[in-house]
Amino acid sequence: MAKNFLALLKSRSTCYDFGTRDVAGKDLLKILEAARWSPSFLNLQPWEFVVVRDRKNVNEMMKAAYYGMYHFREFKNLPPLVVAIVLKKKYWESQFGYPNRDKPGIFEAYLSIAMPAMNMALQAEELGIASTMLNVNAASSAK
């Protein structure tokens, strides 16, 4: 039975201990669908979602990631997969088809990519899948 929205918000928490259970393909598609329906500044949808399942690549991504003061070394296990939200810079470096409006800035960029992150976390929670929102160290992300 579906939870009401406020109960869903209250039940979501950040996971620091990932299990070994894989995420089913149908569940991943639901999570990505929730991300796809996210609002964004001027409806630019400036994101790409990259699903990473390869253990070596997941490990490298987790080493580059952090959440506040937590770094990879605090996580006990690798997650079964990572969904990276990649910001398309072209939307923030030009007017991109909106000559009569203000140029989107970095604030709008971060606000826009936060929306699918939250939608994915909430959809995962509804499916009983733990999640964590991580950031990437700028120096590490260049690799």
Side-chain angles (χ1 to χ4, degrees):
M1 178 176 217
K3 300 176 181 180
N4 73 44
F5 187 70
L6 191 53
L8 180 64
L9 285 173
K10 290 178 179 181
S11 67
R12 195 214 65 81
S13 62
T14 298
C15 174
Y16 298 101
D17 186 17
F18 302 102
T20 57
R21 186 183 97 188
D22 197 15
V23 176
K26 66 180 178 53
D27 291 340
L28 178 59
L29 289 176
K30 275 186 163 180
I31 292 166
L32 292 170
E33 182 73 2
R36 192 175 75 81
W37 282 97
S38 301
S40 63
F41 181 74
L42 298 176
N43 199 28
L44 290 174
Q45 301 173 11
W47 49 65
E48 290 182 11
F49 307 113
V50 179
V51 178
V52 180
R53 288 185 181 266
D54 177 77
R55 302 307 287 163
K56 181 180 178 212
N57 291 336
V58 168
N59 185 46
E60 291 301 313
M61 291 181 80
M62 291 299 289
K63 284 181 182 177
Y66 67 93
Y67 175 79
M69 64 182 181
Y70 296 98
H71 294 272
F72 174 73
R73 63 187 170 277
E74 280 88 20
F75 292 92
K76 296 178 182 170
N77 299 309
L78 287 175
L81 63 84
V82 170
V83 178
I85 304 172
V86 180
L87 179 65
K88 296 180 194 176
K89 289 174 81 174
K90 68 181 178 183
Y91 290 96
W92 314 106
E93 294 174 343
S94 67
Q95 292 292 121
F96 201 76
Y98 295 96
N100 297 326
R101 298 189 183 176
D102 291 336
K103 178 180 170 185
I106 198 67
F107 176 79
E108 290 82 5
Y110 289 140
L111 180 62
S112 291
I113 63 171
M115 300 296 178
M118 189 64 185
N119 280 8
M120 284 191 282
L122 292 172
Q123 182 61 69
E125 178 65 30
E126 184 180 60
L127 294 168
I129 300 169
S131 66
T132 300
M133 289 186 227
L134 300 171
N135 201 350
V136 178
N137 178 308
S140 298
S141 66
K143 296 178 185 178

